[in-house]
Amino acid sequence: MLLEPIYEEDFYDCSYGFRPGRSAHAALDSLSKQTMWSGVSCLLEVDIRKFFDTLEHAHLRTFLQQRIRDGVVLRLIGKWLNAGVMEDGAVTHPEAGSPQGGVISPVLANVYLHYVLDHWFAREVQPRLQGRAYRIRYADDFVVGFTDDEDARRVMAVLPKRLGKYGLTIHPDKTRLVPFRKPMGERRPPGADGPGTFDFLGFTHLWARSRKGNWFLLRKTAASRFTRAVRTIRQWCRLHRHDPIAEQHQTLCRKLQGHAAYYGITGNSPALARYRHEVLETWRKWLLRRRRAWRARAGWFSRLLARYPVPYLRVVHSVYRSVANG
Protein backbone atom coordinates (compact mmCIF):
# COMPACT_ATOMS: atom_id res chain seq x y z
CA MET A 1 0.00 0.00 0.00
CA LEU A 2 2.92 2.33 0.63
CA LEU A 3 5.13 1.38 -2.33
CA GLU A 4 2.47 1.19 -5.01
CA PRO A 5 1.46 4.90 -5.21
CA ILE A 6 5.13 5.94 -5.08
CA TYR A 7 6.26 3.78 -7.95
CA GLU A 8 3.15 4.15 -10.08
CA GLU A 9 4.46 7.63 -10.87
CA ASP A 10 7.74 6.14 -12.15
CA PHE A 11 6.70 2.98 -13.95
CA TYR A 12 6.54 3.12 -17.74
CA ASP A 13 3.40 2.47 -19.78
CA CYS A 14 4.99 -0.67 -21.26
CA SER A 15 4.69 -2.43 -17.87
CA TYR A 16 1.40 -4.26 -17.30
CA GLY A 17 2.02 -6.93 -14.66
CA PHE A 18 0.44 -6.62 -11.21
CA ARG A 19 -0.46 -2.95 -11.56
CA PRO A 20 -3.81 -1.31 -10.73
CA GLY A 21 -6.10 -0.95 -13.72
CA ARG A 22 -3.88 -3.14 -15.90
CA SER A 23 -4.07 -6.78 -16.89
CA ALA A 24 -2.64 -9.43 -19.18
CA HIS A 25 -5.38 -8.72 -21.71
CA ALA A 26 -4.47 -5.04 -21.71
CA ALA A 27 -0.88 -6.05 -22.50
CA LEU A 28 -2.09 -8.30 -25.32
CA ASP A 29 -4.24 -5.53 -26.78
CA SER A 30 -1.37 -3.05 -26.67
CA LEU A 31 0.96 -5.56 -28.30
CA SER A 32 -1.58 -6.24 -31.05
CA LYS A 33 -2.13 -2.55 -31.84
CA GLN A 34 1.55 -1.64 -31.88
CA THR A 35 2.50 -4.67 -33.97
CA MET A 36 -0.26 -3.95 -36.48
CA TRP A 37 0.55 -0.28 -37.03
CA SER A 38 4.22 0.27 -36.14
CA GLY A 39 5.74 -1.38 -39.22
CA VAL A 40 7.64 -3.91 -37.11
CA SER A 41 10.13 -6.04 -39.05
CA CYS A 42 11.30 -8.39 -36.31
CA LEU A 43 10.50 -9.11 -32.70
CA LEU A 44 12.69 -10.09 -29.76
CA GLU A 45 11.09 -12.73 -27.53
CA VAL A 46 12.83 -12.88 -24.12
CA ASP A 47 12.58 -15.37 -21.29
CA ILE A 48 14.35 -14.57 -18.00
CA ARG A 49 15.41 -17.76 -16.28
CA LYS A 50 14.00 -18.16 -12.72
CA PHE A 51 13.62 -14.43 -12.21
CA PHE A 52 11.86 -14.55 -8.83
CA ASP A 53 14.49 -16.98 -7.51
CA THR A 54 17.55 -15.02 -8.69
CA LEU A 55 16.56 -11.43 -7.91
CA GLU A 56 19.53 -10.07 -5.92
CA HIS A 57 18.70 -8.40 -2.60
CA ALA A 58 21.65 -5.98 -2.65
CA HIS A 59 20.64 -4.48 -5.99
CA LEU A 60 17.00 -4.32 -4.92
CA ARG A 61 17.91 -2.39 -1.77
CA THR A 62 19.93 0.05 -3.88
CA PHE A 63 16.94 0.61 -6.17
CA LEU A 64 14.54 1.07 -3.27
CA GLN A 65 16.79 3.60 -1.56
CA GLN A 66 16.47 5.91 -4.56
CA ARG A 67 12.81 6.53 -3.71
CA ILE A 68 12.31 5.27 -0.14
CA ARG A 69 14.07 7.18 2.65
CA ASP A 70 12.25 5.70 5.63
CA GLY A 71 14.63 3.25 7.33
CA VAL A 72 11.76 1.47 9.07
CA VAL A 73 10.19 0.58 5.75
CA LEU A 74 13.50 -0.54 4.27
CA ARG A 75 14.23 -2.76 7.27
CA LEU A 76 10.73 -4.25 7.07
CA ILE A 77 11.26 -5.10 3.39
CA GLY A 78 14.63 -6.61 4.26
CA LYS A 79 13.03 -8.84 6.89
CA TRP A 80 10.40 -9.89 4.38
CA LEU A 81 13.05 -10.87 1.84
CA ASN A 82 15.13 -12.77 4.41
CA ALA A 83 12.20 -14.64 5.92
CA GLY A 84 12.57 -18.39 5.70
CA VAL A 85 10.65 -20.50 3.20
CA MET A 86 9.27 -23.86 4.34
CA GLU A 87 9.33 -26.70 1.82
CA ASP A 88 8.58 -30.29 2.79
CA GLY A 89 8.89 -29.40 6.46
CA ALA A 90 12.34 -27.83 6.09
CA VAL A 91 12.97 -24.08 6.44
CA THR A 92 15.52 -22.44 4.16
CA HIS A 93 16.78 -18.85 4.11
CA PRO A 94 17.63 -17.95 0.49
CA GLU A 95 20.18 -15.22 -0.10
CA ALA A 96 18.52 -14.16 -3.35
CA GLY A 97 15.03 -14.04 -4.80
CA SER A 98 11.65 -12.83 -3.65
CA PRO A 99 9.19 -15.32 -2.15
CA GLN A 100 6.67 -16.28 -4.81
CA GLY A 101 3.16 -15.89 -3.46
CA GLY A 102 4.16 -13.08 -1.12
CA VAL A 103 1.93 -10.05 -1.44
CA ILE A 104 4.92 -7.71 -1.76
CA SER A 105 6.78 -9.77 -4.39
CA PRO A 106 4.94 -8.39 -7.46
CA VAL A 107 5.72 -4.74 -6.71
CA LEU A 108 9.34 -5.57 -5.80
CA ALA A 109 9.70 -7.45 -9.08
CA ASN A 110 8.35 -4.46 -10.99
CA VAL A 111 10.74 -2.12 -9.17
CA TYR A 112 13.69 -4.37 -10.01
CA LEU A 113 12.86 -4.65 -13.72
CA HIS A 114 11.92 -0.97 -13.91
CA TYR A 115 15.53 -0.03 -13.25
CA VAL A 116 17.24 -3.02 -14.85
CA LEU A 117 15.21 -3.05 -18.06
CA ASP A 118 12.56 -0.35 -18.62
CA HIS A 119 14.50 2.72 -17.47
CA TRP A 120 17.68 1.52 -19.14
CA PHE A 121 15.91 0.83 -22.43
CA ALA A 122 14.15 4.21 -22.47
CA ARG A 123 17.21 6.27 -21.50
CA GLU A 124 20.13 4.34 -23.00
CA VAL A 125 18.87 2.12 -25.81
CA GLN A 126 16.10 3.91 -27.66
CA PRO A 127 18.07 7.14 -28.33
CA ARG A 128 20.73 5.02 -30.08
CA LEU A 129 18.38 3.09 -32.34
CA GLN A 130 18.17 3.80 -36.05
CA GLY A 131 14.49 2.85 -36.24
CA ARG A 132 11.57 2.67 -33.84
CA ALA A 133 11.02 0.11 -31.11
CA TYR A 134 8.35 -0.77 -28.58
CA ARG A 135 8.30 -3.17 -25.67
CA ILE A 136 5.53 -4.86 -23.72
CA ARG A 137 6.34 -6.36 -20.31
CA TYR A 138 4.18 -8.37 -17.97
CA ALA A 139 6.27 -9.04 -14.83
CA ASP A 140 9.35 -10.93 -16.10
CA ASP A 141 7.80 -11.86 -19.45
CA PHE A 142 8.41 -9.32 -22.21
CA VAL A 143 8.78 -8.80 -25.95
CA VAL A 144 10.40 -6.00 -27.93
CA GLY A 145 9.40 -5.06 -31.47
CA PHE A 146 11.79 -3.33 -33.91
CA THR A 147 11.34 -1.66 -37.25
CA ASP A 148 15.05 -2.13 -38.04
CA ASP A 149 16.66 -5.59 -38.08
CA GLU A 150 20.12 -4.30 -37.16
CA ASP A 151 18.72 -2.59 -34.06
CA ALA A 152 17.20 -5.89 -32.98
CA ARG A 153 20.50 -7.75 -33.37
CA ARG A 154 22.40 -5.09 -31.41
CA VAL A 155 19.90 -5.17 -28.53
CA MET A 156 19.90 -8.97 -28.45
CA ALA A 157 23.70 -8.92 -28.20
CA VAL A 158 23.81 -6.45 -25.30
CA LEU A 159 20.75 -7.64 -23.36
CA PRO A 160 22.43 -10.68 -21.70
CA LYS A 161 25.25 -8.42 -20.46
CA ARG A 162 22.80 -5.92 -19.03
CA LEU A 163 20.77 -8.55 -17.20
CA GLY A 164 23.90 -10.41 -16.07
CA LYS A 165 25.14 -7.25 -14.39
CA TYR A 166 22.19 -7.58 -11.99
CA GLY A 167 22.31 -11.33 -11.48
CA LEU A 168 19.76 -12.29 -14.13
CA THR A 169 20.19 -14.67 -17.06
CA ILE A 170 18.10 -15.24 -20.15
CA HIS A 171 17.06 -18.67 -21.31
CA PRO A 172 19.16 -19.39 -24.44
CA ASP A 173 16.56 -21.69 -26.01
CA LYS A 174 13.52 -19.50 -25.31
CA THR A 175 15.06 -16.15 -26.22
CA ARG A 176 15.15 -15.49 -29.95
CA LEU A 177 14.69 -13.00 -32.75
CA VAL A 178 11.57 -13.65 -34.80
CA PRO A 179 11.12 -12.20 -38.33
CA PHE A 180 7.66 -10.67 -38.10
CA ARG A 181 7.15 -8.20 -40.91
CA LYS A 182 3.50 -7.94 -41.97
CA PRO A 183 2.94 -9.70 -45.33
CA MET A 184 1.88 -7.23 -47.99
CA GLY A 185 0.29 -9.66 -50.41
CA GLU A 186 3.26 -10.06 -52.73
CA ARG A 187 4.46 -13.53 -53.61
CA ARG A 188 7.72 -14.52 -51.95
CA PRO A 189 10.59 -15.94 -53.98
CA PRO A 190 11.03 -19.73 -53.74
CA GLY A 191 12.85 -20.64 -50.55
CA ALA A 192 12.24 -17.28 -48.88
CA ASP A 193 11.08 -17.39 -45.28
CA GLY A 194 7.80 -15.78 -44.28
CA PRO A 195 7.00 -14.16 -40.93
CA GLY A 196 7.44 -16.42 -37.93
CA THR A 197 5.39 -16.87 -34.78
CA PHE A 198 6.01 -16.12 -31.12
CA ASP A 199 4.37 -16.91 -27.79
CA PHE A 200 3.44 -14.31 -25.19
CA LEU A 201 1.22 -14.64 -22.13
CA GLY A 202 -0.10 -18.05 -23.16
CA PHE A 203 -0.97 -17.13 -26.76
CA THR A 204 0.77 -17.85 -30.05
CA HIS A 205 0.85 -14.75 -32.28
CA LEU A 206 0.96 -14.99 -36.07
CA TRP A 207 -0.15 -13.11 -39.16
CA ALA A 208 -3.39 -14.28 -40.79
CA ARG A 209 -5.92 -13.01 -43.31
CA SER A 210 -9.36 -11.81 -42.31
CA ARG A 211 -12.51 -12.72 -44.23
CA LYS A 212 -12.08 -9.51 -46.21
CA GLY A 213 -8.54 -10.48 -47.14
CA ASN A 214 -6.75 -8.05 -44.84
CA TRP A 215 -3.76 -9.09 -42.75
CA PHE A 216 -4.24 -9.03 -38.98
CA LEU A 217 -2.48 -10.36 -35.89
CA LEU A 218 -4.11 -13.67 -34.96
CA ARG A 219 -3.75 -14.91 -31.38
CA LYS A 220 -4.53 -18.49 -30.46
CA THR A 221 -3.96 -20.59 -27.36
CA ALA A 222 -0.31 -21.69 -27.23
CA ALA A 223 0.14 -25.42 -27.76
CA SER A 224 1.89 -25.90 -24.41
CA ARG A 225 -0.90 -24.10 -22.52
CA PHE A 226 -3.60 -26.05 -24.36
CA THR A 227 -1.91 -29.37 -23.58
CA ARG A 228 -1.49 -28.43 -19.94
CA ALA A 229 -5.15 -27.39 -19.63
CA VAL A 230 -6.35 -30.67 -21.18
CA ARG A 231 -4.03 -32.69 -18.94
CA THR A 232 -5.41 -30.92 -15.87
CA ILE A 233 -8.99 -31.77 -16.90
CA ARG A 234 -8.05 -35.40 -17.47
CA GLN A 235 -6.54 -35.69 -14.02
CA TRP A 236 -9.57 -34.07 -12.42
CA CYS A 237 -12.06 -36.32 -14.23
CA ARG A 238 -10.08 -39.41 -13.25
CA LEU A 239 -9.92 -38.46 -9.58
CA HIS A 240 -13.57 -37.36 -9.35
CA ARG A 241 -15.27 -39.90 -11.61
CA HIS A 242 -17.21 -41.37 -8.65
CA ASP A 243 -18.61 -38.01 -7.53
CA PRO A 244 -22.31 -37.36 -8.20
CA ILE A 245 -22.81 -36.40 -11.84
CA ALA A 246 -24.51 -33.13 -10.90
CA GLU A 247 -21.45 -32.09 -8.91
CA GLN A 248 -19.09 -33.09 -11.73
CA HIS A 249 -21.19 -31.12 -14.21
CA GLN A 250 -21.19 -28.01 -12.03
CA THR A 251 -17.43 -28.09 -11.54
CA LEU A 252 -16.67 -28.76 -15.21
CA CYS A 253 -18.86 -25.82 -16.23
CA ARG A 254 -16.93 -23.55 -13.86
CA LYS A 255 -13.63 -24.80 -15.27
CA LEU A 256 -14.81 -24.13 -18.81
CA GLN A 257 -15.95 -20.63 -17.87
CA GLY A 258 -12.61 -19.97 -16.19
CA HIS A 259 -10.76 -21.11 -19.31
CA ALA A 260 -12.87 -18.82 -21.51
CA ALA A 261 -12.39 -15.91 -19.10
CA TYR A 262 -8.69 -15.87 -20.04
CA TYR A 263 -8.43 -17.50 -23.47
CA GLY A 264 -11.72 -16.15 -24.85
CA ILE A 265 -10.29 -13.45 -27.10
CA THR A 266 -11.15 -12.44 -30.65
CA GLY A 267 -9.82 -14.96 -33.17
CA ASN A 268 -9.40 -17.79 -30.67
CA SER A 269 -12.84 -19.40 -31.12
CA PRO A 270 -11.47 -22.57 -32.81
CA ALA A 271 -9.19 -23.27 -29.85
CA LEU A 272 -12.08 -22.68 -27.44
CA ALA A 273 -14.28 -25.13 -29.34
CA ARG A 274 -11.49 -27.71 -29.41
CA TYR A 275 -10.96 -27.37 -25.67
CA ARG A 276 -14.68 -27.92 -25.00
CA HIS A 277 -14.58 -30.99 -27.24
CA GLU A 278 -11.61 -32.40 -25.30
CA VAL A 279 -13.41 -31.79 -22.00
CA LEU A 280 -16.51 -33.62 -23.18
CA GLU A 281 -14.51 -36.56 -24.55
CA THR A 282 -12.58 -36.84 -21.30
CA TRP A 283 -15.73 -36.68 -19.20
CA ARG A 284 -17.35 -39.35 -21.38
CA LYS A 285 -14.32 -41.62 -21.07
CA TRP A 286 -14.21 -41.55 -17.29
CA LEU A 287 -17.96 -41.90 -16.89
CA LEU A 288 -17.71 -45.09 -18.96
CA ARG A 289 -14.99 -46.32 -16.60
CA ARG A 290 -17.42 -45.70 -13.79
CA ARG A 291 -20.38 -47.53 -15.39
CA ARG A 292 -19.33 -49.94 -18.11
CA ALA A 293 -22.99 -50.99 -18.61
CA TRP A 294 -23.52 -47.67 -20.39
CA ARG A 295 -21.47 -48.98 -23.33
CA ALA A 296 -24.48 -50.97 -24.53
CA ARG A 297 -26.83 -47.98 -24.40
CA ALA A 298 -26.83 -46.04 -27.64
CA GLY A 299 -26.95 -42.28 -27.21
CA TRP A 300 -26.50 -42.36 -23.44
CA PHE A 301 -24.03 -39.46 -23.45
CA SER A 302 -26.28 -37.28 -25.62
CA ARG A 303 -29.15 -37.84 -23.20
CA LEU A 304 -26.85 -37.01 -20.27
CA LEU A 305 -25.81 -33.74 -21.95
CA ALA A 306 -29.46 -32.89 -22.55
CA ARG A 307 -30.01 -33.17 -18.81
CA TYR A 308 -26.70 -31.57 -17.88
CA PRO A 309 -25.91 -29.13 -20.73
CA VAL A 310 -22.32 -28.01 -21.08
CA PRO A 311 -22.11 -24.40 -22.34
CA TYR A 312 -20.29 -23.44 -25.51
CA LEU A 313 -17.31 -21.21 -24.92
CA ARG A 314 -17.72 -17.65 -26.14
CA VAL A 315 -15.32 -14.80 -26.77
CA VAL A 316 -15.18 -12.76 -23.58
CA HIS A 317 -12.58 -10.18 -24.62
CA SER A 318 -13.78 -8.91 -27.99
CA VAL A 319 -11.85 -6.23 -29.87
CA TYR A 320 -15.06 -5.25 -31.64
CA ARG A 321 -16.83 -4.73 -28.34
CA SER A 322 -13.91 -2.63 -27.08
CA VAL A 323 -14.08 -0.41 -30.16
CA ALA A 324 -17.84 -0.02 -29.82
CA ASN A 325 -17.44 1.02 -26.19
CA GLY A 326 -14.90 3.63 -27.13
Side-chain angles (χ1 to χ4, degrees):
M1 292 174 63
L2 174 67
L3 296 179
E4 188 174 271
I6 295 175
Y7 282 102
E8 278 299 312
E9 297 182 1
D10 296 346
F11 289 159
Y12 289 86
D13 288 339
C14 65
S15 172
Y16 287 87
F18 312 114
R19 294 181 59 188
R22 291 173 171 244
S23 65
H25 292 101
L28 290 168
D29 289 343
S30 178
L31 174 62
S32 178
K33 292 175 182 176
Q34 296 195 65
T35 303
M36 285 281 292
W37 307 114
S38 68
V40 62
S41 65
C42 65
L43 190 137
L44 177 58
E45 180 185 2
V46 183
D47 181 87
I48 301 178
R49 178 180 287 173
K50 297 181 178 180
F51 168 71
F52 284 93
D53 296 332
T54 57
L55 181 151
E56 292 192 357
H57 294 174
H59 290 306
L60 178 59
R61 292 190 184 96
T62 301
F63 296 148
L64 290 171
Q65 287 170 1
Q66 297 184 34
R67 295 288 273 126
I68 307 297
R69 302 297 183 184
D70 192 330
V72 175
V73 175
L74 293 174
R75 286 194 297 273
L76 178 61
I77 295 174
K79 291 179 180 180
W80 203 309
L81 292 173
N82 294 324
V85 177
M86 178 176 289
E87 294 180 344
D88 300 326
V91 178
T92 59
H93 297 272
E95 297 181 357
S98 180
Q100 295 194 45
V103 295
I104 201 174
S105 294
V107 68
L108 293 183
N110 275 333
V111 170
Y112 202 86
L113 286 177
H114 167 76
Y115 289 103
V116 173
L117 181 66
D118 297 340
H119 192 65
W120 165 75
F121 195 92
R123 294 295 182 91
E124 302 294 335
V125 176
Q126 282 189 310
R128 293 177 169 85
L129 298 180
Q130 298 177 5
R132 300 185 306 276
Y134 66 87
R135 65 196 183 282
I136 303 294
R137 181 175 65 81
Y138 190 90
D140 59 326
D141 194 3
F142 68 96
V143 294
V144 188
F146 299 90
T147 60
D148 185 88
D149 293 354
E150 183 60 28
D151 287 340
R153 287 188 285 269
R154 289 166 55 201
V155 172
M156 187 174 183
V158 75
L159 187 60
K161 301 176 184 177
R162 172 66 183 182
L163 296 180
K165 180 180 178 181
Y166 295 94
L168 304 176
T169 57
I170 62 175
H171 199 296
D173 298 328
K174 297 181 180 180
T175 300
R176 62 196 181 105
L177 277 177
V178 182
F180 210 70
R181 189 183 301 276
K182 180 193 293 188
M184 301 304 294
E186 70 275 6
R187 298 184 63 181
R188 295 191 302 272
D193 294 331
T197 66
F198 67 94
D199 290 349
F200 183 62
L201 296 181
F203 292 91
T204 297
H205 297 69
L206 66 156
W207 289 110
R209 282 192 182 274
S210 67
R211 293 180 180 179
K212 296 182 178 180
N214 300 319
W215 290 102
F216 74 102
L217 187 64
L218 175 65
R219 300 165 296 176
K220 62 181 183 179
T221 307
S224 59
R225 294 293 187 92
F226 186 89
T227 301
R228 186 171 67 185
V230 171
R231 186 186 303 119
T232 301
I233 284 291
R234 289 173 179 170
Q235 292 174 350
W236 186 90
C237 287
R238 178 177 62 84
L239 293 175
H240 295 269
R241 63 186 182 276
H242 295 298
D243 293 353
I245 293 179
E247 293 182 10
Q248 292 187 47
H249 170 258
Q250 185 179 27
T251 302
L252 285 175
C253 288
R254 287 200 301 264
K255 290 181 178 294
L256 284 166
Q257 292 169 356
H259 185 86
Y262 186 78
Y263 293 102
I265 65 174
T266 301
N268 200 34
S269 296
L272 296 178
R274 189 157 61 96
Y275 179 72
R276 179 181 181 272
H277 173 76
E278 291 288 343
V279 170
L280 292 179
E281 286 298 307
T282 300
W283 194 26
R284 178 180 179 276
K285 169 187 173 181
W286 287 106
L287 287 179
L288 278 177
R289 297 286 184 93
R290 166 178 165 169
R291 294 186 180 179
R292 296 183 181 275
W294 283 350
R295 291 180 180 273
R297 300 180 182 179
W300 68 270
F301 194 59
S302 297
R303 292 192 296 272
L304 184 141
L305 290 181
R307 183 176 180 181
Y308 300 101
V310 175
Y312 288 92
L313 302 188
R314 307 296 183 186
V315 171
V316 178
H317 307 278
S318 171
V319 295
Y320 307 109
R321 191 180 303 124
S322 300
V323 172
N325 294 334

